[in-house]
Amino acid sequence: MLRRNIRLRREYLYRKSLEGKERMLYEKKQGKPIPTELRNEEAALRQEIDLEDELTAIPKSHIDDEYANASQRDPKILLTTSRNPSAPLTQFVKELKIVFPNAQRMNRGGQVISEIIETCRAHDFTDVVLVHEHRGQPDGMIVCHLPFGPTAYFGLHNVVTRHDIKDKKSVGTMSEAYPHLILNNFSSKLGERTANILKHLFPVPKPDSKRIITFANQSDYISFRHHVYEKHGGPKSIELKEVGPRFELRLYQIKLGTVDQSEAQTEWVIRPYMNTSKKQKILGD
């Protein structure tokens, strides 16, 4: 099993290394005046263009490869924590289990990350979500896509559990229907990448689902909100209720690999100088 995973990972990295060459070839094929240095390649490029179709004309990226089959089956998520979790962290993870459909919660115990990842691969999990804490307060969340990544690292801020949501009691039993997603203000290239990682944690909902999950980016802080709605009479008489939990996410790193791979290439990481300008927005406008 270990040799097979090493071979598959090596093949994946090789496919990813071809992206730069394929992009250069694609740009050469575009209908622009032929530079002098490309005139010797004109005949070969025209022959390749004649053989291409809609599926092969535009080169795919590693992002396409990572989530190529994501829509073919519902996500299957494992939720766990850092070792010896406090009561508040345990309660927060229990609430996240309701947030993410098809999620399973596991007590970390003495297991190391590499063992958890291998077990999840063997049982066809699509993602692993690890939640960390500092002095009893949840302060970090890692989203690791399987089998080969990516892994997104988020800071957790202003966590409010369902118990502390004032309107929660009026909702009753929490619905486990697949939620509709609202992804707001992820307009940059990195924002689109982040939204892609988050949205694939949720399956496609039914049209009549009354659950709504919102990820709203403002100044690179992603606000998470969880609501249900009820109709009373006409289409304009809709009551929206927040059911929790509620928190903010701050992306600080994306790696092209799984969380157990310390040697995985860093795709993006926040730098100290990025915080010096208030006008600079990383994820969106």
Side-chain angles (χ1 to χ4, degrees):
M1 179 64 72
L2 182 60
R3 290 183 178 178
R4 178 176 178 271
N5 287 333
I6 293 174
R7 177 176 57 81
L8 292 174
R9 176 66 183 170
R10 189 177 297 139
E11 291 176 358
Y12 165 72
L13 291 173
Y14 173 72
R15 291 197 304 271
K16 187 167 68 67
S17 69
L18 295 177
E19 291 176 22
K21 299 176 184 178
E22 293 175 352
R23 175 60 60 182
M24 290 177 61
L25 184 60
Y26 172 72
E27 291 174 354
K28 289 180 181 180
K29 295 176 184 177
Q30 302 310 297
K32 299 178 181 179
I34 300 175
T36 305
E37 63 271 16
L38 296 183
R39 287 176 183 171
N40 294 333
E41 303 179 37
E42 179 185 3
L45 291 174
R46 290 190 182 280
Q47 184 178 6
E48 288 194 21
I49 292 173
D50 292 338
L51 296 174
E52 287 174 343
D53 55 20
E54 295 180 356
L55 297 177
T56 59
I58 300 177
K60 293 184 177 181
S61 70
H62 65 273
I63 297 175
D64 301 312
D65 191 45
E66 289 162 348
Y67 293 100
N69 301 318
S71 60
Q72 297 179 7
R73 63 188 182 102
D74 291 342
K76 184 180 177 183
I77 301 170
L78 180 77
L79 282 167
T80 189
T81 64
S82 52
R83 288 196 178 95
N84 302 317
S86 64
L89 182 63
T90 301
Q91 179 61 34
F92 179 59
V93 173
K94 287 180 180 179
E95 296 184 4
L96 287 181
K97 183 180 182 298
I98 300 175
V99 168
F100 299 115
N102 305 325
Q104 298 181 28
R105 185 173 66 90
M106 185 192 74
N107 293 326
R108 173 75 177 273
Q111 293 195 64
V112 297
I113 294 297
S114 58
E115 293 175 351
I116 294 173
I117 297 299
E118 284 302 317
T119 302
C120 289
R121 282 198 186 106
H123 291 83
D124 294 326
F125 281 84
T126 61
D127 297 89
V128 175
V129 176
L130 296 100
V131 187
H132 297 274
E133 65 181 337
H134 179 68
R135 294 184 178 180
Q137 293 295 323
D139 71 337
M141 186 169 76
I142 301 173
V143 179
C144 176
H145 184 65
L146 298 177
F148 303 126
T151 300
Y153 297 77
F154 297 93
L156 266 175
H157 306 272
N158 305 321
V159 175
V160 180
T161 60
R162 290 191 67 216
H163 177 76
D164 296 322
I165 300 291
K166 293 182 179 180
D167 197 34
K168 186 264 301 182
K169 293 182 180 179
S170 63
V171 176
T173 305
M174 185 63 240
S175 170
E176 296 189 19
Y178 294 172
H180 296 284
L181 284 185
I182 298 175
L183 296 162
N184 183 54
N185 195 25
F186 293 89
S187 54
S188 70
K189 189 173 182 180
L190 179 62
E192 292 175 358
R193 172 67 155 158
T194 306
N196 198 48
I197 292 170
L198 293 173
K199 76 179 182 181
H200 282 104
L201 295 173
F202 298 88
V204 178
K206 293 183 178 179
D208 59 350
S209 174
K210 292 181 172 58
R211 287 180 68 195
I212 302 172
I213 297 289
T214 304
F215 291 96
N217 170 50
Q218 185 174 11
S219 300
D220 298 329
Y221 283 88
I222 304 169
S223 296
F224 173 91
R225 298 295 183 269
H226 183 195
H227 294 85
V228 296
Y229 69 89
E230 296 179 0
K231 293 183 179 180
H232 301 282
K236 294 185 179 180
S237 57
I238 295 178
E239 184 180 2
L240 192 66
K241 297 179 181 179
E242 185 177 1
V243 294
R246 176 198 306 169
F247 53 86
E248 269 71 49
L249 295 170
R250 180 80 189 275
L251 178 70
Y252 64 87
Q253 190 176 41
I254 298 178
K255 282 195 170 186
L256 295 176
T258 52
V259 67
D260 61 321
Q261 296 173 330
S262 58
E263 77 284 359
Q265 178 185 348
T266 299
E267 177 181 344
W268 179 87
V269 63
I270 194 168
R271 302 293 185 188
Y273 65 82
M274 292 181 181
N275 296 323
T276 59
S277 175
K278 293 183 179 179
K279 296 182 180 180
Q280 184 178 12
K281 301 295 188 297
I282 300 172
L283 300 181
D285 298 329

